[in-house]
Amino acid sequence: MVLDNMSAADSREVEMPAEALGRRVSCEGERGTVRYVGEVPPTAGPWLGVEWDNSERGKHDGSHEGIKYFTCRHPTGGSFVRPKKASFGVDFMSAVRDLYQFNLQEVFGPQTTIASKTVEVSGFTKNRADSLGVVSLRHREVSSPGPGDQIRTFMPDVRSLDLCGNLLSSWENVAEITENIEHLRELLLSHNRLSLISDPVSLSHAFSSLNVLSLAGCQLTWTQVLQCAPMWPRLEELYVAENDITELSRPLDVLQDLRVLDLSSNPLVQDSILSLAYLPRLENLNLSTTELSGLQFDDVPPGGKTGMFTTLKVLILNHNNIAQWSAVNELAKLQSLVELSFRHNNTLTNDLTPQTANQLIIAKLPQLAVLNKSRVLPDDRRGAELDYIKTFGLEWLASGGNRDPAENRPSAAFTCTHPRYLPLIQKYGAAEEGELKKQTPFALKNQLISVTIVCPEEAERLPVVKKLPDSMTVQKVKGLLSRMLKVPGAAITLTYTGPKMNGSEVDLDNDLKPLQFYSIENGDSLLVRRT
């Protein structure tokens, strides 16, 4: 193994903190934690054994020439550096001074009036330094608090503090800063490495007003999160993405006011997610990129409402491994769910157009008001639910379903697979036999509809049969017809009719809607007129 930047000159004495072990350092843009301080024979002088946050920066596992000096999480996460090559950071108030460009002696001296000072804060200009509401010291190598009286004097009105990506090494360091910011509501500490404290309640005074806390990328387990939680008695939003969280356990006497919880980008043990089901105020849960294949609420049958997650309104499930539509059926059991993000569950939706996938989700979740950040409009819901009735109508009939309510006895297997079907036919009525769609695999070629294009005002034009994707928007259809007819798309109006419509026509009056929204089927005719 080799030592970083070893030379004779590096062996000279340099000043180090009295307690360097466990401290955070930066070197050439990389951050790490000091795991060893001392000599590394045969060289002379002190070395720092550093475990780097970025394992690619390291060279070994803490060993040199067969001797183990410290341990690392990653086999190439460590290296030795001379103390003079490492920065132990700056105190909080020095970072504030450097960023906001004022002189502490002037600000705190008896001859100075702060009210005349202009201070720049994250792109905003404040005319009073003592009225700052948001302070950002992201990536400023903050490692210690500095004078507490200066923090209290300078920022009495700070509500939000960003200390992400700094060199803070313990919760005591953080508390010595925050206890001097009386009205602090939001604290961002992501990408720090904070050692735990044996008595977290002893620091709760320093976070007594805190409502929002971000700890993304801090190498925390869920057990460690719960160990720290007594420090945050009023916490309402907790962001712990990109940590080492795997198995969850039920929070007891902590986090009881939590409304928002972000667990994204953690490899969660799926069955343990239900440990969070009884957080009494949880409204927003982010489980994106957690390798999730679904949630199961076995306390109620299909179509029922679970007693779990009773307050949950927003659920984010992007980038997971959900492969069965039964997992979406389970979400319908959530009493309060009104918003769902469900992007990039490709195993489930690969063979579907985005519009078809969204329609199925909307039809299966009756309370859903927002899907993938888009509001579900009444027309969207009606179209999705009617299409669902038609799509699975033949399966319903084959299972024992009947248009006569007295004879309607679909099998248990069907109602388990489609718990929303019976409520939907009660809402709209059963589809006519001619409207039912034969089930085929969800592939693009099976989502083409054959329509006849007719120009009723131009008798010389012969009808043309075209196969169009049912996901094609009216606007794109007009573009196609514009090229065919050599007229501007804006000069075209469209209606459609079909064999079952007794000569009536339906206006295609929304350019942004797909053909499937209007329930256009094989054999229908698109009527093209010029305005």
Side-chain angles (χ1 to χ4, degrees), residues 273-483:
I273 293 172
L274 296 185
S275 301
L276 307 174
Y278 301 100
L279 284 172
R281 294 177 175 83
L282 187 64
E283 297 179 0
N284 186 313
L285 180 60
N286 189 341
L287 298 175
S288 293
T289 322
T290 56
E291 304 176 12
L292 185 69
S293 62
L295 295 172
Q296 192 79 24
F297 306 112
D298 292 329
D299 59 326
V300 289
K305 292 297 181 183
T306 178
M308 306 181 199
F309 293 107
T310 56
T311 58
L312 191 66
K313 297 179 180 179
V314 180
L315 182 59
I316 306 173
L317 297 176
N318 301 325
H319 295 280
N320 275 303
N321 301 326
I322 297 174
Q324 301 294 329
W325 282 103
S326 59
V328 180
N329 293 341
E330 288 295 306
L331 301 182
K333 296 179 180 179
L334 293 169
Q335 296 183 24
S336 304
L337 185 68
V338 293
E339 181 173 345
L340 175 68
S341 287
F342 201 80
R343 295 189 177 97
H344 303 293
N345 283 279
N346 293 336
T347 306
L348 184 64
T349 60
N350 256 347
D351 291 335
L352 304 176
T353 65
Q355 292 94 336
T356 300
N358 287 350
Q359 279 194 313
L360 285 171
I361 293 170
I362 291 168
K364 285 176 174 289
L365 303 180
Q367 298 171 209
L368 203 63
V370 179
L371 175 60
N372 296 333
K373 300 297 183 183
S374 294
R375 186 163 296 282
V376 178
L377 301 175
D379 285 349
D380 297 329
R381 175 161 295 285
R382 178 180 173 82
E385 291 177 343
L386 286 172
D387 197 64
Y388 192 87
I389 290 173
K390 297 174 184 178
T391 299
F392 298 103
L394 291 174
E395 185 180 340
W396 166 64
L397 291 173
S399 76
N402 195 295
R403 292 181 184 83
D404 181 353
E407 301 293 328
N408 184 23
R409 298 185 186 89
S411 68
F414 178 85
T415 56
C416 183
T417 303
H418 302 285
R420 283 285 296 150
Y421 199 87
L422 293 183
L424 288 178
I425 62 174
Q426 290 170 2
K427 180 178 179 180
Y428 297 104
E432 296 299 323
E433 187 171 351
E435 296 178 305
L436 301 180
K437 300 180 180 180
K438 184 178 180 181
Q439 280 293 288
T440 52
F442 285 116
L444 181 59
K445 65 182 181 181
N446 294 314
Q447 295 169 44
L448 296 175
I449 51 177
S450 180
V451 296
T452 302
I453 297 171
V454 180
C455 298
E457 297 174 347
E458 301 179 41
E460 70 278 7
R461 287 189 183 272
L462 298 177
V464 177
V465 176
K466 284 280 188 184
K467 288 188 174 181
L468 303 177
D470 63 359
S471 60
M472 194 174 193
T473 64
V474 172
Q475 185 176 48
K476 290 184 177 179
V477 173
K478 287 182 177 179
L480 173 66
L481 295 173
S482 173
R483 293 188 293 273

